[in-house]
Amino acid sequence: MPYPAAAPARLPSSPLALLVALHVAIVIASNYLVQLPVMLLGFHSTWGAFSFPFIFLATDLTVRLIGKAPARRVIARAMLPALAASYVVGVLFHDGRFNGWGALQDFNTFVFRIAFASFAAYVLGQLLDIQVFDRIRQKSRAWWLAPAAASLFGQALDTAAFFSIAFWRSSDPFMAANWVEIAAVDYAIKLAVSLLLFVPAYGVVLAAIVRSMRAQDGVPTAAAG
């Protein structure tokens, strides 16, 4: 399957707001799910490993369709709302249960540390993902290579930053003792999910978008390959 061609300048600016909202929603969900441990093949991990790869899919599609600069604007607009919303949701649903609105009256340093770690990891991981993706896509016509490489490096930095900032010498004894193992398993799961599910999904969604754009412009569908 050849790398589908796209016309970045033709896309309207309105999808940027939707992408920002999507990024914030995924970060919030992942920060909640990372508090829920799960055992996989005898290793400790969290449910957050299954949700966060969605962001890399959205970012790679953004870079491919409307360019590197707009993708960076999405991150710039999403990072502070994601930080604030992650803290609020983390306090309200700490340990996976609703703690009541009164929980917001006291500043929760444990939850804020997780929210800040997510903020730092999100910014670092996404910027690296954009850089790797954009550079490789310009040099290779293999449609899968850029998203695969970007996931490999971007998620490695994201995972290392998040778990080290959030749980190194944490007040949570379990996470303090197991964060390295959890981070390694988390990265392996996220990478597997990305390569097996989201990279193929990237190709399918991109091809569909390109066909739709060209159909609107009167270009034969067969030319989108």
Side-chain angles (χ1 to χ4, degrees):
M1 177 181 177
Y3 207 109
R10 296 174 184 170
L11 287 184
S13 58
S14 56
L16 288 179
L18 295 176
L19 286 167
V20 169
L22 176 63
H23 278 224
V24 173
I26 296 172
V27 170
I28 292 172
S30 298
N31 282 349
Y32 169 74
L33 293 172
V34 79
Q35 301 180 67
L36 306 179
V38 61
M39 291 293 294
L40 293 172
L41 302 177
F43 294 98
H44 295 289
S45 184
T46 71
W47 286 109
F50 296 93
S51 61
F52 200 73
F54 277 104
I55 284 186
F56 289 87
L57 172 64
T59 297
D60 292 348
L61 284 170
T62 303
V63 176
R64 185 66 186 90
L65 292 170
I66 56 180
K68 182 165 63 173
R72 287 175 172 168
R73 287 200 297 272
V74 169
I75 295 170
R77 295 174 185 179
M79 58 187 186
L80 291 180
L83 173 63
S86 294
Y87 173 77
V88 171
V89 173
V91 170
L92 292 176
F93 294 93
H94 186 49
D95 292 330
R97 64 178 184 275
F98 182 65
N99 298 299
W101 295 102
L104 294 173
Q105 296 178 358
D106 298 320
F107 184 74
N108 190 315
T109 56
F110 177 78
V111 173
F112 180 78
R113 182 176 175 182
I114 293 177
F116 180 77
S118 176
F119 166 83
Y122 169 74
V123 174
L124 293 173
Q126 291 297 294
L127 290 178
L128 180 59
D129 178 271
I130 290 172
Q131 187 66 27
V132 172
F133 180 92
D134 187 65
R135 177 166 297 186
I136 292 180
R137 81 174 181 87
Q138 294 183 40
K139 296 181 178 180
S140 173
R141 291 187 61 83
W143 69 268
W144 55 269
L145 186 58
S151 293
L152 177 68
F153 291 103
Q155 296 200 52
L157 179 58
D158 174 277
T159 303
F162 173 77
F163 280 95
S164 60
I165 295 173
F167 299 117
W168 180 67
R169 294 187 177 180
S170 171
S171 58
D172 183 322
F174 174 80
M175 294 303 295
N178 295 283
W179 73 266
V180 175
E181 174 189 334
I182 295 174
V185 176
D186 185 89
Y187 173 65
I189 294 173
K190 288 191 292 189
L191 190 59
V193 170
S194 294
L195 296 181
L196 296 177
L197 297 179
F198 290 116
V199 170
Y202 163 87
V204 172
V205 174
L206 178 58
I209 292 174
V210 170
R211 284 197 300 270
S212 176
M213 291 168 55
R214 293 191 169 186
Q216 291 176 3
D217 292 339
V219 178
T221 303

